[in-house]
Amino acid sequence: MNNRLPASITDHTVLPMIASPMFLVTGPELVLACCKSGVISAFPSPNARTIEVLDEWMTTITAELEKAKAENPHQTIAPWAANILIKSKAHSLEDQLRLIVKHKAPIVITGLGSPAEVVDVVHGYGGLVFADVASVKHAKKAAEAGVDGLILISSGAGGHTGTIAGFAFVDAVREFWDGILVLAGSISTGRGILAAQTLGADLAYIGSKFIAATESMACDEYREMLLDSSVEDVVYTNAVTGVHANMLKPSLQRAGFDLENLTFDKSEGRPKAWRDVWSAGHGVGTIRKIQSASDIISELRTEYEEAVERAQQPNPWAEKILMK
């Protein structure tokens, strides 16, 4: 595998993955738990309801990780990432960039708009910029803006998702992009992480698995619903926000939606996504228990190691090719 990742990532992580930022789910506690366990973790800036709270969150994360590094010099502690929305109703881009520079976020993940204005700012202090993209068109635009990495939101991802299968999406983007690729959508096991690398991605993006983490901001009812759900309970619909997203069928029922007639209602009192209606990706069936982020990462690491070992076992087709 061609390693495009810088040492700032490979030397400080135990798995080639990012615990993805999730609205109303990821906060400082989950980010810190993942990073201290050797996995990059990101939180979306709108989860901090005011710019003052956002500043406090970044202060807490940077201070706690520096303390952990000092107290445990031999422990693998991963860098954190800030997920900012270019067109955010919660915080202005100017305010978000000011705090990112202040706290020198190692990785900045952009969404909802062109990352062009972010790139120079983050590169100015040596940080990396990754852009969320859900189409080849947007991937090309982000690449032209000078980002370091592209996060391909493929079909099967939780929440607002793309419609291109991961296999095809990676191949299409690799036609013009030789930078860092992160694959998102339906990845929830160590086997999936290795498969993403085999496809040509450098990192996997895993979200739904961490909703059930004890450190997440999700309520207990949400966690329990994840345990009871399978891929058949994931519904792709625009009825909640007007934009198609993968939502949990039991959650739609709980919020009063008619599953036989899912239509978007613009009325003021309609249920709100992620507060009243909950989401998960196609990998939800692998979530079998509520546990700490550390335990989730430990299981993913074991699965990944087992997958690597299986990949090294004799393969008659591979042997035929290598013998030619």
Side-chain angles (χ1 to χ4, degrees):
M1 296 176 186
N2 178 20
N3 188 12
R4 288 162 283 263
L5 297 171
S8 61
I9 290 178
T10 57
D11 291 353
H12 301 282
T13 52
V14 299
L15 281 171
M17 63 162 284
I18 297 174
S20 62
M22 295 173 284
F23 186 53
L24 300 186
V25 170
T26 313
E29 188 177 358
L30 181 55
V31 170
L32 287 168
C34 289
C35 290
K36 289 178 181 180
S37 297
V39 162
I40 299 167
S41 182
F43 72 91
S45 61
N47 279 2
R49 306 313 282 177
T50 68
I51 200 67
E52 291 77 20
V53 172
L54 183 58
D55 191 8
E56 290 172 6
W57 282 17
M58 291 186 180
T59 298
T60 297
I61 290 169
T62 53
E64 284 292 322
L65 291 181
E66 285 304 314
K67 180 182 177 183
K69 291 174 186 177
E71 293 178 348
N72 306 281
H74 301 296
Q75 184 176 334
T76 300
I77 297 176
W80 64 284
N83 172 214
I84 67 171
L85 304 184
I86 307 301
K87 300 174 183 176
S88 173
K89 294 179 181 179
H91 314 301
S92 71
L93 180 58
E94 181 182 8
D95 280 342
Q96 293 178 89
L97 289 177
R98 175 174 56 81
L99 293 183
I100 280 171
V101 172
K102 175 183 176 181
H103 298 285
K104 292 182 170 55
I107 301 169
V108 176
I109 298 170
T110 67
L112 293 182
S114 170
E117 192 174 343
V118 178
V119 171
D120 287 343
V121 173
V122 176
H123 285 177
Y125 64 79
L128 299 172
V129 179
F130 294 174
D132 273 351
V133 294
S135 70
V136 175
K137 175 183 176 182
H138 288 134
K140 288 180 177 178
K141 287 185 175 181
E144 291 168 359
V147 299
D148 303 286
L150 298 174
I151 301 173
L152 309 186
I153 312 298
S154 65
S155 60
H160 292 135
T161 183
T163 58
I164 307 173
F167 283 85
F169 208 170
V170 170
D171 283 345
V173 173
R174 278 290 177 225
E175 288 290 319
F176 61 87
W177 175 253
D178 193 39
I180 298 169
L181 265 192
V182 186
L183 181 60
S186 306
I187 304 172
S188 59
T189 65
R191 297 182 298 278
I193 296 172
L194 182 61
Q197 288 183 293
T198 302
L199 286 176
D202 302 289
L203 299 167
Y205 216 44
I206 299 181
S208 300
K209 196 97 172 181
F210 289 93
I211 301 173
T214 53
E215 297 92 346
S216 87
M217 297 164 62
C219 63
D220 290 339
E221 291 81 2
Y222 191 177
R223 293 190 181 94
E224 291 295 338
M225 187 177 290
L226 291 171
L227 302 187
D228 295 334
S229 296
S230 70
V231 66
E232 294 179 330
D233 293 305
V234 179
V235 179
Y236 182 63
T237 178
N238 67 349
V240 184
T241 67
V243 178
H244 276 87
N246 280 325
M247 311 303 289
L248 287 170
K249 186 187 296 183
S251 180
L252 289 165
Q253 292 173 314
R254 177 177 173 273
F257 282 89
D258 179 1
L259 296 181
E260 301 300 321
N261 184 33
L262 285 172
T263 56
F264 180 54
D265 178 6
K266 296 182 180 180
S267 64
E268 286 294 324
R270 69 181 184 277
K272 292 188 176 181
W274 296 280
R275 187 196 69 182
D276 306 314
V277 187
W278 300 323
S279 171
H282 285 178
V284 67
T286 67
I287 304 172
R288 300 185 179 91
K289 54 188 172 183
I290 297 168
Q291 55 189 336
S292 69
S294 175
D295 285 342
I296 292 171
I297 291 166
S298 179
E299 287 187 1
L300 288 171
R301 192 173 181 180
T302 298
E303 292 168 350
Y304 183 83
E305 290 169 353
E306 291 173 349
V308 170
E309 289 177 1
R310 281 196 299 273
Q312 294 173 340
Q313 292 175 0
N315 180 327
W317 290 273
E319 290 174 0
K320 288 178 183 178
I321 292 171
L322 292 173
M323 287 174 64
K324 289 182 179 180

